[in-house]
Amino acid sequence: MPEIIAHPFALDLKTLVKRLKSSIDKGLTQENAGFLINEFGKNDITVSNKKPTWHILLDQFIDPIILILSLAALFTFLFTDDWPECIAILAVIFITIIIGFVMELKGIRSLEALQKMASTDCNVLRDGKIKTIKSTFLVPGDIILIEKGDVITADARLITSDNLLIKEASLTGESNAIQKEIKRLPKNTILPERTNMLFKGTSMVQGSAKAIVVHTGFETQLGKIQKMGLDIDEQRTPLEKKLNALSKWLIWLTLIFAILIILTGYLRGIALLIILKTAIALAVAAIPEGLPIVATIALARGMLKLSKRQVIIKKMEAVETLGATNIICTDKTGTLTEDKMQVHTLAFEDETISAVHNKNNLYFDNLRDQYAFNKMMMVSILCNNVHVDSEQMRGDSVEVALIQFAEKLKFDIKSIKEKYPEAMEIPFDAQRKLMVTLNKNGNKRFNVFVKGAFESILPYCDKILLGNEQKKFENKEAWFHRVDKLASQGLRVLAFAYKDLAVKPKKEALSSKLTFVGIIGFLDAARDDIKATIQVYKNAGIKVVMMTGDHAGTARKIAEDVGLFTNHLETNGVIHGRDLKFEEGLDANMKEKVLNAAVFARVSPEQKLKLVQFYQENANTVSMFGDGINDIPALRKADIGIAMGIRGTQAAREAADIILKNDKFTAMELAIKQGRAIFDHIRQFVVYLLSCNLAEVVSVGIAALLALPAPLLPLQILFLNLVTDIFPALALGMGKGEVDIMKRAPRKPNEPIMTPQLWSSTIVYGLCITAAVVGITAYAHFTLQLSPIKINNMAFYTLVLAQLFNVLNMAKNKVAFFNNEVIKNPWVWGSIAISLVITAGAYRIPAIAEALFLTSLSWDQLGWVLVFAFGSLALAQIIKRNGGTF
């Protein structure tokens, strides 16, 4: 059995090749490769997790209210002959399931369209010949050949390297391209510093290399992270938990009602069939059939609204969860930053210019007369290998930044390169850490231009530019401090030098006796729109936390630029990954530091996961932004995982709940606002539905206790629940939300949908409606002395109007009755009109009127209906204005 190599970066190269039974010059034999593919499996970490259509449909049935409605329909079918009631209940179930199915299917299929990816080809040495194979067939021991632009397809140890730079941001969070080298490393070397290794999923931005594959499939770093993510149980959204908790409470309430009715009827000697019909009727009255439909439509509407803003929601409940978020965890590179290097600071002997990307060209026009500035720009343009075509620049990100900076300042790159053609070049490599070019200056003169690491260039410099003159370079120690200061701010620093020559020098003399010009600090700058968005989150009581694998200095600098810190004391509060020892347990002091920190640097994927879990354990609702391989475990663990659709890796998109198609961090401001509004609306229509249903149940119960004629019949209850309940409740879900919704603190994660205050409001509104229904029943019976059918109809119409008026009670307390979100919502008035039209239509259609036992009423009788219905609204408003409800 072939062995899995541990710590391949720490082994001598010859030993490693021998243990892998390979050859540097010939690679594996095709026969051995076939044997190894059987032993190790394919080099593939994708998991077939396409959700079947039937599974999506089946998921819609797993809802407590849907289950109890199904039982009610079954009992109606088995024990009664009331087909209309049975059909009506089934219609509610069908509508709810279809809406949920269609919306969830749309979200999932949109994601799958983003995830289609073709298998990658790679060049491999087998039997001494270079062959092109599918990357899935790579095995440990294969010798792979990689060139600029290639994606690394397995974890491999470098054998040879030529001017190699690797982009590892998706794996480690490191924003800069990494210089690679061949030398052996210590066993305790952390992942971002394993410079002799290439990792699956990263990409080569410069140079070429030859490497031996050491790990494939789930043994690669990418595979281990993917596996870690798969081992995490998917989190149910807070709304799912809360709706399920409410549904279970309602089910118990329904069962209690049914048992009480059955026991009471049995003790009174009523026939079992009548008892069952009455119990089913009250069970149907107690359960808000409209709740699943209204909640589903409200979420679906939010989902569709966000999809128009390039936000794909995989699961509808995720919309509301965004509104509950009080901590947003985010990566740095590409999320808060542009994911491209920019010139940030210029430093000369007598001047330092910071934040140059924010300065206009007029500022730099004044610098053009300065000799040192022009020399630095000449080095930047001519000691540079960026290839510029009609649409884009290709090359090292720092060199691209230099050319873009020169173009911004209106330097003519093409004409400068033609005027000073390159005669010789010493390319950059990891050992020299500098690049040298010799350029012709006319027919007889030459210029040497050098750029590279400050410590590498400094020994070759004996002079320094000061203004237009050269002087002896005597303050090198002071320059070391200047470089260290910029590096501590998270800037990548390059030094620039030159010399002018009358004759062409030999290659070995190119970099001697140089004149030092200055340094440039580069930064992956923060996105322009991030700072304002973070301020909106702060106003909304949401904390934004940066988790990055990048350096602490870089992380601190970006955090300052985007306004993550709330005060100056926090700027030193960047926590390094080495200090997060979750496996040993955090003491009280460290726990407080973690909860208060805004930035975590040099954190591993496992530490990101632990941080998300830590926040959740401390009663927080966590949303996690991520796009890289290193974000996958945390994306899955978070209450809401958010991935980038353009730049995000396939694996990150699979792990997330939400996909940002345009990769904009700012898109989530609207999503959070929408989520908060949806939860407010859910609360409104839950209070509305429950108060209406409570009125139905209590009215029937009181009438029975007082031996009054039945104010409601079973099918009338179902008609009310499907007409006067659903349409106003839907209208509440169409509201825009309160104007101050993004200036309120997030609700507590463990706060239920129905708080004690909301239950109090529900009971008050329900009893006000009950008073109107029982009142008109008693008045029609004792005073008007009408027939039971007339009394029933007057009570029925009173309940219809009282429930429609009840929607006006749903506005927040302490707002004007004629100036609030509910009154201004045109959908509310439309729903009232529709409900009245349907009720009138039910009376006018003989078959429906007969099923509902509707008969004609005189104008006087309808007048009393109006008086009692308005009375319920007036009573509720009096109690509300005196602080009795929300």
Side-chain angles (χ1 to χ4, degrees), residues 105 262 481 515 593 615 685 750 798 850:
L105 181 68
I262 291 170
H481 289 303
T515 299
K593 282 185 179 179
Y615 285 133
F685 57 65
N750 57 354
T798 299
E850 184 180 348

Side-chain angles (χ1 to χ4, degrees), residues 624-636:
M624 173 74 193
F625 278 86
D627 59 1
I629 302 159
N630 58 332
D631 299 317
I632 292 170
L635 283 171
R636 288 184 62 86

Side-chain angles (χ1 to χ4, degrees), residues 12 101 245 251 445 517 529 536 565 579 605 833 853:
D12 176 79
F101 169 72
I251 286 169
R445 298 193 64 81
V517 180
D529 51 1
V536 170
F565 299 123
D579 299 322
F853 297 95

Side-chain angles (χ1 to χ4, degrees), residues 427-721:
F428 183 94
D429 68 23
Q431 283 73 41
R432 288 188 298 269
K433 294 186 179 180
L434 56 82
M435 176 182 177
V436 184
T437 61
L438 177 68
N439 296 78
K440 293 181 181 179
N441 184 355
N443 294 327
K444 297 181 179 180
R445 298 193 64 81
F446 295 87
N447 300 119
V448 176
F449 298 115
V450 184
K451 77 174 192 304
F454 175 75
E455 65 274 13
S456 298
I457 288 178
L458 200 64
Y460 302 109
C461 298
D462 55 9
K463 295 179 181 179
I464 186 171
L465 271 182
L466 176 60
N468 295 337
E469 299 180 355
Q470 298 179 2
K471 70 167 190 173
K472 191 173 182 181
F473 198 174
E474 297 178 325
N475 60 334
K476 293 184 178 182
E477 190 64 32
W479 271 95
F480 267 109
H481 289 303
R482 293 178 75 178
V483 170
D484 288 343
K485 184 178 180 180
L486 290 182
S488 69
Q489 295 173 0
L491 302 182
R492 181 177 177 183
V493 180
L494 280 187
F496 294 76
Y498 81 101
K499 68 178 175 179
D500 299 326
L501 298 171
V503 295
K504 184 177 181 179
K506 294 181 179 180
K507 187 174 182 178
E508 55 270 18
L510 278 179
S511 55
S512 62
K513 296 183 179 180
L514 298 174
T515 299
F516 187 78
V517 180
I519 58 177
I520 293 181
F522 300 85
L523 186 70
D524 179 12
R527 293 190 176 194
D528 294 336
D529 51 1
I530 294 294
K531 189 170 185 177
T533 303
I534 287 177
Q535 187 58 49
V536 170
Y537 292 150
K538 285 183 179 180
N539 293 339
I542 300 170
K543 180 176 182 176
V544 180
V545 176
M546 181 199 298
M547 299 178 184
T548 179
D550 217 334
H551 294 280
T554 306
R556 180 183 289 108
K557 175 63 179 173
I558 295 300
E560 290 171 351
D561 289 347
V562 301
L564 272 188
F565 299 123
T566 55
N567 55 62
H568 294 298
L569 296 177
E570 280 189 2
T571 56
N572 294 321
V574 176
I575 295 181
H576 197 283
R578 64 171 173 263
D579 299 322
L580 290 172
K581 298 176 181 178
F582 287 106
E583 63 281 358
E584 299 176 8
L586 304 181
D587 58 32
N589 183 47
M590 191 61 187
K591 283 182 179 179
E592 186 176 354
K593 282 185 179 179
V594 171
L595 287 172
N596 293 328
V599 179
F600 297 88
R602 280 300 194 202
V603 289
S604 67
E606 186 176 6
Q607 286 174 322
K608 288 186 179 184
L609 168 63
K610 295 287 187 183
L611 280 167
V612 169
Q613 187 174 346
F614 175 79
Y615 285 133
Q616 290 172 330
E617 289 171 352
N618 284 272
N620 294 289
T621 300
V622 182
S623 290
M624 173 74 193
F625 278 86
D627 59 1
I629 302 159
N630 58 332
D631 299 317
I632 292 170
L635 283 171
R636 288 184 62 86
K637 182 62 180 173
D639 296 291
I640 290 293
I642 306 161
M644 304 303 179
I646 299 173
R647 193 185 64 257
T649 61
Q650 178 189 6
R653 293 196 298 266
E654 286 176 351
D657 302 292
I658 294 175
I659 314 294
L660 302 184
K661 288 178 71 175
N662 57 9
D663 280 12
K664 288 188 177 179
F665 180 78
T666 53
M668 297 316 299
E669 179 187 339
L670 173 66
I672 290 172
K673 182 178 179 181
Q674 188 73 26
R676 288 189 172 192
I678 284 173
F679 192 79
D680 281 355
H681 294 147
I682 287 173
R683 279 184 157 168
Q684 282 181 326
F685 57 65
V686 167
V687 171
Y688 174 76
L689 291 170
L690 291 181
S691 59
C692 290
N693 286 24
L694 176 67
E696 294 165 10
V697 173
V698 177
S699 296
V700 172
I702 291 176
L705 287 173
L706 298 177
L708 293 171
L712 292 171
L713 300 172
L715 203 55
Q716 289 175 344
I717 293 172
L718 199 57
F719 176 85
L720 288 165
N721 289 356

